[in-house]
Amino acid sequence: MAPRICVVTGANKGIGYGIMKELCQKFDGLVYLTARNEERGKAAVAELNKLGYFPRFHLLDIDSEDSINTFAEYLKKTYNGLDVLVNNAAISDQRTAAEPFGEQAENTIRVNYFGTLNVCRALFPLLRPHARVVHVSSSFGHLSYINGDEPQASSLRSKLGSPTLTEEELNAIINDFVRAAKAGTWKEEGWPERSYFVSKVGMCALARIQQRAFDQDPRPDLVVNSCHPGYVDTDMSLHLRFMGEPEEHCKQLWDSKYPVSEKARHKLLFKTITNLILAKVLCFFLFFFIHES
């Protein structure tokens, strides 16, 4: 029997590394730590080896379609399938960055949204029945953060929250943000001051679109969720809002038996929840889904 395969992107540090620790302990199969830098990725694997964990490593840069396709082909030839995908890799824009906002927006959207989308397009055909996909999002993925000038912001929220939104329509909306950012008219067109917010709202909306497709897929019981792991002490958070070590946000609720309803699946997109509760959402989706699959 082929082993179960789990892949975590951007897993050499931060939340991704914390997820790796928990998966190495609890996942019944092979866990792949992927990173865009081979040296840092292998160093992370070596650190996990010291702890008694033995994940596999593969180079994966989600900002490179060649790298994505190479990894997909490797998984197909080696295992002919994938059981768990955790899309964690992302970059953050910084308010103090020297680059013009339009350049920040283009880079952040290209990596966080379209990079993850390209990973999904390459790896989703490999998903086996009962596979689980988690997009690591953010509290900033809530529609309320689309808060530029009105009434344009309300119109954007309505479009992004539409239950009939398609991937093509979402891509066009996200690309339109980049255009507005470059033109310097993003606020007047309803968009927020941070491109990171837009990238995470896009990922939450994409998860809903993908789940609708999964619901029609002949492979049974495919589930995707987008969830906020809480503020964690990582480089991306600039270590400013410490709420615990990364692994602390990835280890709870493994044994939870509660089913995840359609309403709960979309809750992050439509309802504000306190950060303390949201800090456990990633763990719930990730480990409940893996445990039940």
Side-chain angles (χ1 to χ4, degrees):
M1 178 185 293
R4 299 177 76 208
I5 304 298
C6 174
V7 168
V8 184
T9 69
N12 61 286
K13 64 178 182 176
I15 292 173
Y17 185 77
I19 291 171
M20 286 297 304
K21 285 185 179 179
E22 292 303 309
L23 286 170
C24 286
Q25 293 179 55
K26 298 173 179 176
F27 181 68
D28 182 20
L30 301 179
V31 184
Y32 269 84
L33 184 156
T34 70
R36 63 180 174 176
N37 181 284
E38 184 171 6
E39 181 179 355
R40 290 196 292 266
K42 290 184 175 179
V45 169
E47 288 302 311
L48 289 169
N49 291 165
K50 294 177 183 177
L51 298 174
Y53 308 137
F54 299 95
R56 309 292 178 91
F57 171 77
H58 201 286
L59 191 67
L60 176 61
D61 180 358
I62 72 166
D63 195 27
S64 166
E65 290 194 49
D66 287 342
S67 178
I68 294 170
N69 291 334
T70 296
F71 182 51
E73 187 63 23
Y74 167 79
L75 290 177
K76 182 177 181 180
K77 287 184 176 179
T78 308
Y79 305 107
N80 196 33
L82 175 64
D83 299 281
V84 177
L85 172 62
V86 182
N87 283 312
N88 171 72
I91 62 173
S92 177
D93 59 348
Q94 302 298 337
R95 295 175 181 175
T96 58
E99 297 85 4
F101 184 69
E103 184 178 339
Q104 290 185 48
E106 183 175 40
N107 292 337
T108 305
I109 294 299
R110 188 188 68 250
V111 176
N112 293 4
Y113 178 78
F114 285 106
T116 302
L117 176 59
N118 288 335
V119 170
C120 293
R121 286 173 171 173
L123 299 189
F124 276 13
L126 301 178
L127 294 176
R128 294 170 177 149
H130 314 291
R132 299 296 186 253
V133 178
V134 176
H135 303 322
V136 178
S137 184
S138 166
S139 60
F140 299 128
H142 194 284
L143 280 174
S144 62
Y145 284 96
I146 304 299
N147 57 3
D149 290 352
E150 294 290 357
Q152 292 85 351
S154 291
S155 177
L156 287 171
R157 291 193 296 270
S158 178
K159 292 176 182 177
L160 289 163
S162 170
T164 61
L165 182 68
T166 67
E167 184 180 303
E168 292 74 17
E169 291 169 340
L170 177 58
N171 291 346
I173 293 171
I174 298 299
N175 277 323
D176 198 51
F177 162 69
V178 176
R179 175 203 57 75
K182 290 182 175 181
T185 60
W186 71 89
K187 189 173 186 296
E188 294 89 336
E189 296 187 40
W191 294 105
E193 297 289 336
R194 296 281 302 277
S195 55
Y196 182 78
F197 297 178
V198 177
S199 73
K200 292 305 182 179
V201 168
M203 288 311 307
C204 289
L206 181 63
R208 299 179 69 232
I209 294 168
Q210 292 171 333
Q211 186 59 56
R212 293 205 314 267
F214 281 173
D215 290 343
Q216 303 301 315
D217 197 287
R219 294 166 294 182
D221 189 33
L222 300 181
V223 178
V224 55
N225 279 279
S226 180
C227 34
H228 169 45
Y231 286 105
V232 187
D233 186 22
T234 66
D235 291 346
M236 183 176 286
S237 67
L238 301 179
H239 307 279
L240 295 177
R241 299 189 66 172
F242 178 63
M243 286 182 65
E245 295 296 329
E247 53 269 26
E248 292 176 4
H249 293 261
C250 304
K251 72 196 302 182
Q252 313 215 6
L253 302 173
W254 170 269
D255 293 321
S256 175
K257 303 299 182 184
Y258 294 102
V260 180
S261 67
E262 186 72 10
K263 181 178 179 181
R265 182 179 297 135
H266 302 160
K267 187 176 290 185
L268 181 59
L269 197 59
F270 291 109
K271 183 177 180 181
T272 301
I273 309 174
T274 65
N275 282 333
L276 182 59
I277 295 174
L278 282 171
K280 299 180 180 180
V281 172
L282 172 64
C283 319
F284 175 81
F285 285 135
L286 176 59
F287 294 123
F288 173 77
F289 291 154
I290 295 170
H291 187 63
E292 291 294 306
S293 66

